[in-house]
Amino acid sequence: MQERHDSQERELVARVVAGDRRAFTQLVEPLVPRLLATALRLLGTRDEAEDAVQNALASAWIARSRIDRSRSFLPLLTTITLNKCRDKLRRRKAADFLGFGRASMPELASDPAPSPETEAVDRQLLEQTRSEIRRLPLRLREALILVAIDGRSQSEAAELLGISAKAVEALVYRARKILREKLPSGE
């Protein structure tokens, strides 16, 4: 089954390289939700995440003649998306430094079952966690999001980040350690 999927993907990639827009749509459509989730976790706002994914898709289309047909397409698109997120984070950092406004954070969805007090505490802890994740150095944040939140393997994250699986393991460990020190233990 996987071989059939791989051969279908290779066929679509070959058509994309030849300039077939329909093949590009077929190839990327199932991947967009995962890319969007990754970008949203890195950037924190849906608008910025959608922009990053859109820019990544445009870049992939523009550079289609350089696509390596022997490799899976998802890691390539994920890498491009991560780069677009890094660009947005750099621009945001520069804008913050220069005193320009920042987009507001998305509202948190609430669960109607808990009491209002529990809900308020949970929301506060979630926002504090998101805030602490955003404060992590970029490499720690990327590794943590890819492995612990997106559920990718360390080897897949290593390939996407251009480092070893052992380095990813160390980055995730350091990120979790920092978060444990900064966040309440929940006891």
Side-chain angles (χ1 to χ4, degrees):
M1 183 73 171
Q2 183 63 30
E3 281 183 32
R4 195 170 118 227
H5 173 72
D6 291 345
S7 67
Q8 287 174 334
E9 182 177 294
R10 279 194 292 275
E11 179 185 323
L12 284 172
V13 170
R15 289 174 42 206
V16 167
V17 170
D20 185 338
R21 288 179 190 234
R22 284 193 186 123
F24 185 74
T25 300
Q26 279 183 281
L27 188 60
V28 302
E29 217 167 44
L31 308 177
V32 168
R34 190 165 184 186
L35 297 170
L36 189 57
T38 300
L40 182 59
R41 288 181 179 118
L42 276 169
L43 297 170
T45 67
R46 186 156 191 86
D47 287 343
E48 284 188 317
E50 288 172 351
D51 284 348
V53 171
Q54 180 107 14
N55 291 338
L57 294 175
S59 293
W61 174 255
I62 290 167
R64 67 188 176 277
S65 64
R66 296 190 308 264
I67 294 174
D68 182 354
R69 298 177 195 192
S70 66
R71 301 188 73 195
S72 177
F73 201 64
L74 178 60
L76 170 68
L77 271 183
T78 304
T79 299
I80 296 170
T81 301
L82 286 172
N83 287 334
K84 297 302 178 184
C85 289
R86 290 175 187 135
D87 291 345
K88 286 199 166 290
L89 289 169
R90 277 191 292 274
R91 284 193 296 276
R92 182 190 296 166
K93 191 174 185 178
D96 286 349
F97 177 75
L98 296 172
F100 299 126
R102 219 182 116 198
S104 62
M105 293 305 298
E107 289 186 32
L108 302 174
S110 62
D111 183 358
S115 71
E117 295 82 14
T118 302
E119 196 174 297
V121 169
D122 287 349
R123 239 189 264 137
Q124 184 180 11
L125 181 59
L126 180 58
E127 186 52 42
Q128 186 180 1
T129 303
R130 284 180 176 164
S131 179
E132 291 301 332
I133 289 173
R134 281 192 301 273
R135 285 189 185 107
L136 289 171
L138 185 58
R139 288 305 252 188
L140 296 179
R141 187 175 1 154
E142 289 173 344
L144 180 72
I145 287 171
L146 290 172
V147 174
I149 299 174
D150 281 354
R152 297 175 192 263
S153 68
Q154 289 179 357
S155 59
E156 186 180 3
E159 183 180 333
L160 293 171
L161 296 173
I163 57 178
S164 71
K166 202 67 175 158
V168 170
E169 181 181 358
L171 290 171
V172 171
Y173 173 80
R174 286 182 21 219
R176 286 179 170 159
K177 183 178 180 196
I178 290 169
L179 291 175
R180 272 192 302 273
E181 292 169 359
K182 303 258 182 193
L183 296 170
S185 64
E187 294 176 14

